[in-house]
Amino acid sequence: WYTGSSGWDYRLVVESILGIQIQANTMVINPRIPDHWSGFKAQYRYMQTNFQIIVTRVESNAQPSIYLDDVLLDSFVVPLVNDSKLHVINVCWPRGMIL
């Protein structure tokens, strides 16, 4: 049961708390981290391509935003491409915000 338990633990932390979900060739980011966290960093590898995810807490009156390689995205859905390059995802997430 240990193998199955570790899989569920991974899903709990990555999907439910950090809010990182992979859906086909996209990544959806919706953090549900505690308000006292200042943010987090994570790495995700998609085929031969690495994605660095940086989530930073901002004040509760700020607008949430997400950037892929310094380009503002329209939604919190990040396209995953396999180009063997490093891509950086920066997320500014207000305290208490849940999509």
Side-chain angles (χ1 to χ4, degrees):
W1 71 279
Y2 285 109
T3 303
S5 176
S6 64
W8 284 108
D9 288 346
Y10 172 85
R11 289 194 69 181
L12 171 71
V13 172
V14 173
E15 293 182 3
S16 298
I17 297 172
L18 300 182
I20 300 171
Q21 295 182 343
I22 305 303
Q23 300 174 355
N25 59 348
T26 63
M27 176 188 304
V28 178
I29 301 178
N30 181 13
R32 293 189 174 110
I33 58 177
D35 279 340
H36 65 274
W37 285 19
S38 61
F40 67 88
K41 292 181 182 179
Q43 294 278 338
Y44 179 74
R45 184 172 175 99
Y46 177 73
M47 296 183 201
Q48 289 81 34
T49 302
N50 289 312
F51 289 84
Q52 180 179 18
I53 305 160
I54 303 166
V55 175
T56 306
R57 277 289 193 195
V58 294
E59 292 306 315
S60 58
N61 60 349
Q63 290 294 319
S65 60
I66 184 167
Y67 292 83
L68 174 60
D69 299 327
D70 295 324
V71 175
L72 180 63
L73 299 179
D74 294 338
S75 70
F76 288 85
V77 178
V78 178
L80 297 176
V81 295
N82 185 25
D83 60 6
S84 300
K85 296 179 182 177
L86 172 65
H87 295 280
V88 179
I89 302 167
N90 283 297
V91 180
C92 295
W93 201 256
R95 297 184 187 283
M97 172 95 178
I98 297 178
L99 289 180

